[in-house]
Amino acid sequence: MKHKHLIDRLRQSHNLSLEEFTELLIHRDEELQAYAADLAGETAEKHYGKKVFIRGLIEFTNICKNDCYYCGIRASNNSAQRYRLSDEEILACAKNGYELGFRTFVLQGGEDPYYTDDKICQLVQQLKHNHPDCAVTLSIGEKSKESYRRYRAAGADRYLLRHETATPAHYHHLHPSAMSAENRYGCLRSLKELGFQTGAGFMVGSPGQTPEDLARDLIFLQELQPEMVGIGPFIPAAGTPFAQEPAGTLDDTLFLLSIIRLMMPEVLLPATTALGTIDPRGREKGLLAGANVVMPNLSPKSVRTKYQLYDNKICTGEEAAECIVCLTKRIESVGRELAVDRGDNVRYTKMKEEPYCV
């Protein structure tokens, strides 16, 4: 194995150069991928045991002011069926999830101007009041630092914001000119400064992406040190300029999951729905490659098919209870166990005795 020494060094030092990451990605083969996955699985188990953490995903609005070229809920996609959940519906989703064993709720939506900071803060406060032993994660896009400060003060614990690509030119290939790569990166740094458990990430195989772009993504993650990293294959979506582009591959995504686990041993790393969409056992393969988080959908069945970021998304017809039974069996089939707790990053757990000051 010509590049085994780079995998070994990454496991030991958690650090490679841009050129070395690029070399690894260009020369990935089946043997190197299997070797990296074995080490990544051992690393995940060292820090988290066999636990796989569940996050209850509540997709509360598919209205978005942005027009990202890859996204099925982009503003100019006139075929998207738009919706907003009421506060009562959102809280009912969380109540149902709590009864099923969820201890983290992820409020995810487009950048919907209806949801002012006041509305978001009220929602977070109500969720924390109803479920004080749970973590609340927000995934609602780019906001000002002051907005993030308010969400944190209201009780939000985590924030997911994929950086999407660490190459500004590639970012502008994927987004309209009104959007800025620099603003996206600045948002992530603000979230870290404010004490959020912060999640970054990117799509694998997005249009125009090169191995060097992916290597820059890894360097960006090294520098940011987020508590969570969400990656998944690019999947084309109807009603977008990239509808006819090829999807990212399973093997590229699995290899990158392993690399990220070796680079950031304590990171929380999801086996995403997109993985399960391109391969029937994609999420299980993701867990074997070093992932340790899954995110079942708690949204009402009536809106599941409307939150279509990409085509052929799985689990749109299942009740939450059905989904969790199915996922439990899938997780156990690869020798892992479903964990019923908040599932904080172990680095955060060590530090949380220090109070946060707004």
Side-chain angles (χ1 to χ4, degrees):
M1 246 188 300
K2 184 179 177 184
H3 293 87
K4 174 178 175 288
H5 70 287
L6 291 178
I7 297 292
D8 289 336
R9 184 142 53 81
L10 183 62
R11 183 195 195 190
Q12 187 171 23
S13 68
H14 315 306
N15 187 46
L16 292 177
S17 69
L18 180 69
E19 293 74 23
E20 288 168 332
F21 277 131
T22 304
E23 185 80 1
L24 261 185
L25 294 167
I26 289 173
H27 294 284
R28 174 189 62 77
D29 59 23
E30 191 174 318
E31 191 179 9
L32 190 66
Q33 182 174 330
Y35 183 68
D38 285 345
L39 295 184
E42 289 174 13
T43 301
E45 190 164 338
K46 176 183 175 184
H47 292 278
Y48 291 102
K50 295 186 181 297
K51 287 183 176 182
V52 174
F53 302 107
I54 54 171
R55 315 304 200 199
L57 187 60
I58 304 172
E59 296 166 336
F60 67 102
T61 176
N62 74 343
I63 296 168
C64 190
K65 68 179 186 180
N66 295 328
D67 216 19
C68 305
Y69 299 147
Y70 56 83
C71 184
I73 63 169
R74 65 195 304 257
S76 64
N77 185 358
N78 295 324
S79 63
Q81 295 177 277
R82 304 295 179 175
Y83 74 90
R84 289 188 187 110
L85 297 183
S86 67
D87 288 4
E88 292 73 23
E89 288 174 311
I90 294 168
L91 296 173
C93 289
K95 182 176 184 292
N96 180 37
Y98 191 87
E99 291 166 356
L100 291 170
F102 290 85
R103 294 299 178 266
T104 288
F105 303 113
V106 181
L107 291 182
Q108 179 171 295
E111 292 193 23
D112 184 347
Y114 171 81
Y115 286 98
T116 61
D117 289 350
D118 285 346
K119 286 185 169 70
I120 294 296
C121 289
Q122 287 164 11
L123 256 179
V124 170
Q125 288 168 341
Q126 191 62 55
L127 281 167
K128 295 294 279 191
H129 173 78
N130 293 356
H131 309 290
D133 56 332
C134 293
V136 173
T137 303
L138 296 176
S139 180
I140 54 176
E142 298 178 16
K143 308 289 182 182
S144 69
K145 188 171 184 178
E146 184 53 37
S147 294
Y148 291 146
R149 191 188 309 276
R150 290 190 62 188
Y151 305 158
R152 186 78 177 99
D157 303 276
R158 306 173 185 147
Y159 202 103
L160 307 180
L161 181 68
R162 285 185 171 182
H163 67 276
E164 297 189 1
T165 172
T167 306
H170 184 223
Y171 185 94
H172 294 300
H173 181 64
L174 302 176
H175 300 87
S177 58
M179 298 183 70
S180 157
E182 292 73 19
N183 188 64
R184 175 69 60 123
Y185 310 150
C187 286
L188 282 161
R189 294 186 182 101
S190 292
L191 289 164
K192 286 282 289 183
E193 288 170 13
L194 291 167
F196 282 95
Q197 291 184 65
T198 302
F202 53 89
M203 294 178 293
V204 180
S206 60
Q209 189 180 63
T210 67
E212 291 81 6
D213 293 331
L214 287 167
R216 288 188 197 97
D217 287 323
L218 296 171
I219 296 293
F220 179 86
L221 293 174
Q222 274 186 346
E223 293 169 352
L224 183 69
Q225 286 296 306
E227 285 73 26
M228 302 167 281
V229 174
I231 71 168
F234 164 76
I235 301 176
T240 72
F242 296 144
Q244 303 305 315
E245 294 286 336
T249 72
L250 176 71
D251 284 337
D252 283 344
T253 307
L254 295 176
F255 189 49
L256 280 157
L257 282 172
S258 298
I259 287 174
I260 291 166
R261 171 60 66 197
L262 295 173
M263 183 175 78
M264 306 171 69
E266 297 175 338
V267 76
L268 292 162
L269 195 58
T272 61
T273 302
L275 266 181
T277 298
I278 65 168
D279 183 282
R281 286 183 61 80
R283 286 177 294 183
E284 293 93 314
K285 292 174 182 177
L287 295 175
L288 291 172
N292 66 336
V293 173
V294 291
M295 298 176 70
N297 201 328
L298 295 178
S299 308
K301 279 177 67 175
S302 60
V303 303
R304 298 265 188 96
T305 58
K306 298 175 183 176
Y307 201 87
Q308 290 284 13
L309 303 183
Y310 50 81
D311 292 348
N312 304 312
K313 183 178 172 187
I314 59 171
C315 299
T316 55
E318 294 177 339
E319 297 286 359
E322 295 169 355
C323 187
I324 199 65
V325 168
C326 170
L327 262 182
T328 300
K329 290 177 180 174
R330 288 175 175 271
I331 289 165
E332 290 173 350
S333 77
V334 292
R336 305 292 195 271
E337 61 189 39
L338 195 70
V340 181
D341 59 46
R342 283 171 45 117
D344 289 305
N345 182 292
V346 291
R347 186 173 71 221
Y348 172 83
T349 304
K350 294 168 190 170
M351 296 169 56
K352 69 180 181 180
E353 290 79 16
E354 300 176 16
Y356 171 73
C357 299
V358 178

